[in-house]
Amino acid sequence: QVQLAESGGGLVRAGGSLGLSCAPSGRAVYGYAMGWFRQAPGEEREFVAGIRWDGVVTYYADAAKGRFTISRASADTTLYLQMNNLKVEDTAVYYCATQTRNRWDNGTPRAPGEFDVWGQGTQVTVSS
């Protein structure tokens, strides 16, 4: 019954920064991989960044590498995405997601189908 709720989206100028948060509720999700995805109008949902259950291992889509940083709180399962040097093409609805199986797994899931619970999404709009 875990639920996820994203926050932090908004309007930002190209080159600027924005931080997103994903707060779990209902049931703790500690022990599972989590990730950020995004979906622009007319596009498929795409992987942005992932993080291992303990936060030690992170991995990114090519479009995010070097600009975005995924992290999770040390003491809980809150998920974060720090986005720097934003580009217009980063404009999308951003979703957080978590696995609910494969606890303690050291893999690097990045396909949407590998994640079980999703937040409602938060809009990120980057203007030129």
Side-chain angles (χ1 to χ4, degrees):
Q1 293 184 326
V2 62
Q3 296 177 334
L4 302 175
E6 303 93 338
S7 62
L11 176 65
V12 65
R13 186 172 296 177
S17 298
L18 200 63
L20 306 181
S21 298
C22 174
S25 64
R27 187 183 68 84
V29 294
Y30 184 75
Y32 299 99
M34 299 184 72
W36 287 97
F37 295 76
R38 67 188 184 188
Q39 188 167 20
E43 303 287 341
E44 295 184 348
R45 190 167 300 186
E46 66 173 343
F47 171 79
V48 176
I51 190 165
R52 205 174 73 175
W53 62 269
D54 58 359
V56 173
V57 175
T58 60
Y59 50 102
Y60 300 88
D62 289 343
K65 185 70 174 179
R67 299 187 300 122
F68 295 3
T69 302
I70 187 172
S71 62
R72 64 194 307 165
S74 297
D76 57 36
T77 57
T78 301
L79 185 70
Y80 304 97
L81 183 69
Q82 180 63 44
M83 304 184 291
N84 297 325
N85 192 25
L86 283 161
K87 305 175 181 179
V88 172
E89 49 264 46
D90 294 319
T91 296
V93 177
Y94 283 70
Y95 300 88
C96 64
T98 185
Q99 292 190 319
T100 59
R101 296 170 289 114
N102 301 316
R103 198 170 189 181
W104 320 118
D105 191 85
N106 288 334
T108 55
R110 59 181 71 216
E114 295 184 271
F115 293 81
D116 306 303
V117 178
W118 297 79
Q120 81 289 344
T122 185
Q123 177 70 48
V124 172
T125 302
V126 184
S127 66
S128 60

